[in-house]
Amino acid sequence: MGLFDQIMNAVNDPNLQANAGQLAGIFGTMQQLGNDRGADASTMQSAMSVVGGFVRSALQEKQAEGGNNAVQNLVNQFGGTSPSTAAVTALFGSQLQPIIDAVAQRTGLDPNTIQQMLPTLVPLVLNFLKTGAPNQDSQAGSNPVLNSFLDSDGDGDVDIADAMRMAGGFLGQ
């Protein structure tokens, strides 16, 4: 099952955090960030895709070091719609140049603009992954959205931008 399917299942599962309002908040923040920086929706989706790939690699490393709970805790702590330099630091430390270069190459955005956007983009990706987290009062175990994103089966078929584009279509965004 793909990432988008996992997100739609999470929206329909009362035991998981996902809801249409949460997804709309993510899209609204991404759209506002793009508008503020002069980037269209397509450029923002490309930026999210590149950042999502780096987030995936960083979370896979964290998973190897500390297990699934450590990764879910990181997602829970830093997933949101507000800028957070702490989220960027927690995932990447000070190694931002490869991310900035990759986003610039793919989108044509100015590297300084990208650096300013990262503290918002990273929490948005994490918030997207948070949609599959169990509710506080739920007995649900793992986060199927996060597991799908980390691609436990190793087939490499994961792209946050594709899932966001489909979810945006679902929301009429």
Side-chain angles (χ1 to χ4, degrees):
M1 183 178 296
L3 183 60
F4 174 73
D5 294 326
Q6 290 293 350
I7 292 165
M8 290 298 95
N9 286 342
V11 167
N12 293 319
D13 187 337
N15 294 313
L16 301 179
Q17 291 183 18
N19 61 65
Q22 180 185 19
L23 294 175
I26 293 168
F27 286 101
T29 302
M30 186 176 75
Q31 186 176 32
Q32 184 62 48
L33 180 63
N35 290 343
D36 291 348
R37 305 285 188 230
D40 64 18
S42 175
T43 300
M44 290 304 296
Q45 286 178 350
S46 292
M48 287 290 286
S49 178
V50 173
V51 170
F54 280 94
V55 167
R56 179 174 178 247
S57 295
L59 289 177
Q60 287 173 327
E61 286 178 27
K62 303 285 185 197
Q63 184 181 39
E65 294 167 6
N68 291 338
N69 285 340
V71 173
Q72 184 63 60
N73 289 338
L74 194 75
V75 168
N76 289 343
Q77 180 179 358
F78 295 114
T81 56
S82 298
S84 172
T85 55
V88 175
T89 302
L91 284 177
F92 307 117
S94 61
Q95 303 301 313
L96 301 181
Q97 201 58 51
I99 303 166
I100 293 167
D101 291 346
V103 174
Q105 183 178 9
R106 178 109 171 250
T107 65
L109 290 170
D110 176 71
N112 290 327
T113 299
I114 297 164
Q115 187 166 5
Q116 294 168 3
M117 292 171 69
L118 282 177
T120 303
L121 292 176
V122 170
L124 287 177
V125 171
L126 295 176
N127 196 19
F128 201 68
L129 300 175
K130 194 175 173 179
T131 60
N135 284 325
Q136 299 290 341
D137 57 350
S138 170
Q139 297 299 318
S142 67
N143 177 335
V145 174
L146 179 60
N147 292 342
S148 182
F149 182 71
L150 295 176
D151 197 28
S152 302
D153 65 358
D155 71 0
D157 187 26
V158 172
D159 187 342
I160 195 87
D162 290 341
M164 289 185 73
R165 186 171 32 258
M166 287 187 259
F170 171 77
L171 292 171
Q173 300 271 331

